[in-house]
Amino acid sequence: MGPGARGASPLKRILRYLRPHRGGFAFALGLVTLQALFEVAKPWPLKIVIDHVLGGEPAPLPGLDGLDPRRLLLAACVGLVLLHVVLAAIRLGQNRVTIGIGQRMVRDLRSDLLAHLHRLSLGFFDRRPSGDLVYRMTFDTFSAQILAMNGIFPLVSGGLLLIVMGTVLFRMNAQLATIFLAVAPVLFLTIRWLAARIATLSKETKERESRFLSETQRDVEAIELVQGFTAESQEHRRVMAASQRALSSSLRLYLLETGYEGAVSVLVALGTAAVLYAGGTLGMAGEISVGDLFVFVSYLAALYTPIDSIAHTLGLVQEASVGARRVFEVLDTEPEVRDAPRARALSRVRGELRFDRVSFTYADATGPALREVTAVAEPGQRVAVVGPSGAGKTTLLSLVPRFHDPTEGRVLLDGRDLSGLRIRDLRSRIGIVPQEPLLFPLSVADNIRYGRPDATRDAVERAADLAGVSGFARDLPLGLDTPVGPEGQGLSQGQAQRITIARALLRDPRILILDEPTSALDPETEASVLAGIERAMEGRTTFVIAHRLATVERADVVWVLEEGRLVESGSFPALRHGGGPFERLLGEALLDGGDAEDA
């Protein structure tokens, strides 16, 4: 969970990310204060020109009263330029500090969010579109910078200018200052009403943009299916409909923000017009000088600027709060599978896996995926798990590394309940080969080394030999050092699968889980890989989700699942002609290398 107690406002929780940067923040506040003082001084060189150079009045500052008009004019011009040079330097320094702090806050928030996502259970990702999570990580995390930096500093800067300039205005003419202040309540009531509407529409816009991102990502990932079924037109309509909904919300948000700024500008113009009329009347009566009226109007223009900035910043804060809530919504999600309070370390592992009356139901599912499964895999035993699509094979084996916990029953490793073991220790003893090979944009060797970064080159080469990677790697431009994946050398499905097998073998696991590891291989390559896997399986408890007889025949025991139940168990020869569910699967050609299961 991110900093701050659950239930605290997004701003309070974001401000906790500011704590490590207190020194830089204080320095930036000092620059803001200095900037406010120099902003107050900006009209005075022009007042000197109007009242003292052109009007002939005595110079107001010590050291200037002895200057002739030409030199006083030169001093006023130099002073005006210096003021703007100093202000530019202060703004540059302030932006450098505040943007740097804001970006480090975004980095820290992203780090917490990514680390928390890594801890969340697979069930969370099954229920969330990946595009939405990418949007929260990429865009919503910027709320840290917007709320803390783009929110706090404009408010502080604007507040200081209001206080300092308001004080000067009252000292110059209380009547004109009172006219100006009468507009403030109306202005802030308008701001409050419009800001609430902006927050609501901003949330809708973010959700629709996130949905569009998810739809686009799904379309790109399924491009082979789209083209294969000539579904380009319907996919185009679906994705563009999501795009149009996002653009429509974005347009309404933009129009509301524009109207928001326009309403503020109109109210500012009304206040300025009233002050100009009253000030002009006083000037014509000789109660204030032309220079004083110029300074007063200049202050008013500058005074309304921070009010307008505050109005805009409050709207920005409302919008950023939506993004922050979306980030903290994920950070507040508790993992469904976690270490027990007194979870034990896992030392020596023999490899006995026992499923004790195990049942499992997915969230929001209409029925259980597993029903009271009881079975034992002895240490070093090779278990083939077979059954029709949707029988629960993948679900059953997902309980071993605790991707899910049973809804009922227990899974025990060497007599110890998995729920009482440290998850990281448990998973470090397990090697997994998924059905769909996944390669990262790294070299072949680094892909093999992924789960064991400290592995030596010799260990990588041995794993490559066992999985049959070395044979095709010799033909690659740089051998095992050739980049592969989305940004590198293109590989066949079978070659990619062999790399994932090598990756699992490199960990030297006590338990191997192979989800149809040879489904993408040709018969010749399959025989080679199976021989390598068979050598690697020696002394390891191995589970293989199998649809090919070549894989099943090598198993010591076969578990047959149907509708989430273990309906048959035994050796391949015993089950092949046993007249039970396994023989029926053979007769229905469900064990001939057909489609793998997806549930």
Side-chain angles (χ1 to χ4, degrees), residues 59 72 205 275 535 575:
L72 188 59
T205 301
V275 170
R535 292 192 299 272
L575 297 182

Side-chain angles (χ1 to χ4, degrees), residues 160-445:
L160 281 173
L161 282 173
L162 285 173
I163 292 171
V164 176
M165 291 184 176
T167 300
V168 174
L169 288 176
F170 268 101
R171 290 176 63 88
M172 293 179 67
N173 191 290
Q175 179 183 353
L176 295 182
T178 302
I179 294 173
F180 157 71
L181 290 178
V183 181
V186 180
L187 185 61
F188 279 99
L189 285 175
T190 303
I191 289 169
R192 183 176 179 181
W193 179 69
L194 287 175
R197 297 197 62 188
I198 286 175
T200 301
L201 190 53
S202 174
K203 180 179 180 181
E204 176 190 304
T205 301
K206 284 182 176 292
E207 288 174 349
R208 290 189 171 185
E209 287 176 344
S210 175
R211 197 170 298 120
F212 167 60
L213 182 62
S214 297
E215 295 288 354
T216 303
Q217 183 176 358
R218 192 183 82 174
D219 180 69
V220 172
E221 290 175 348
I223 190 65
E224 182 178 353
L225 187 67
V226 171
Q227 294 179 350
F229 281 81
T230 62
E232 292 89 348
S233 58
Q234 69 186 53
E235 282 298 305
H236 185 273
R237 287 193 300 270
R238 183 179 60 79
V239 174
M240 293 311 297
S243 170
Q244 184 56 44
R245 287 191 293 270
L247 290 173
S248 176
S249 290
S250 179
L251 175 61
R252 286 189 287 127
L253 177 61
Y254 175 76
L255 292 176
L256 182 58
E257 289 176 336
T258 302
Y260 175 88
E261 294 176 359
V264 170
S265 297
V266 169
L267 289 173
V268 166
L270 287 173
T272 303
V275 170
L276 276 175
Y277 181 82
T281 302
L282 292 174
M284 288 185 292
E287 296 184 23
I288 58 175
S289 69
V290 176
D292 287 340
L293 181 58
F294 172 80
V295 171
F296 201 98
V297 173
S298 297
Y299 274 5
L300 282 175
L303 195 59
Y304 280 126
T305 298
I307 292 180
D308 184 57
S309 173
I310 290 173
H312 179 73
T313 300
L314 289 176
L316 195 64
V317 167
Q318 289 286 340
E319 185 176 345
S321 295
V322 174
R325 287 191 185 95
R326 283 167 48 84
V327 172
F328 289 121
E329 177 189 345
V330 177
L331 286 172
D332 290 340
T333 301
E334 295 289 348
E336 298 165 15
V337 177
R338 70 182 93 176
D339 283 333
R342 296 183 179 180
R344 291 173 295 170
L346 188 59
S347 53
R348 186 171 178 271
V349 175
R350 292 187 302 111
E352 181 195 71
L353 258 297
R354 182 180 298 271
F355 296 86
D356 182 16
R357 299 179 64 83
V358 167
S359 297
F360 178 79
T361 303
Y362 287 102
D364 304 324
T366 56
L370 296 173
R371 305 169 188 265
E372 296 190 343
V373 175
T374 297
V376 179
E378 300 294 342
Q381 197 170 50
R382 291 168 289 187
V383 180
V385 184
V386 303
S389 179
K393 304 184 293 295
T394 299
T395 300
L396 179 68
L397 296 189
S398 73
L399 303 180
V400 177
R402 290 192 67 194
F403 292 151
H404 303 284
D405 277 342
T407 307
E408 297 177 10
R410 300 180 302 165
V411 183
L412 299 100
L413 173 61
D414 296 339
R416 292 169 288 186
D417 193 329
L418 296 187
S419 63
L421 301 176
R422 292 178 185 170
I423 295 175
R424 190 173 184 84
D425 286 354
L426 172 65
R427 292 176 182 172
S428 69
R429 303 303 199 282
I430 299 172
I432 300 174
V433 179
Q435 180 177 317
E436 293 295 330
L438 174 63
L439 298 184
F440 298 93
L442 306 168
S443 68
V444 174

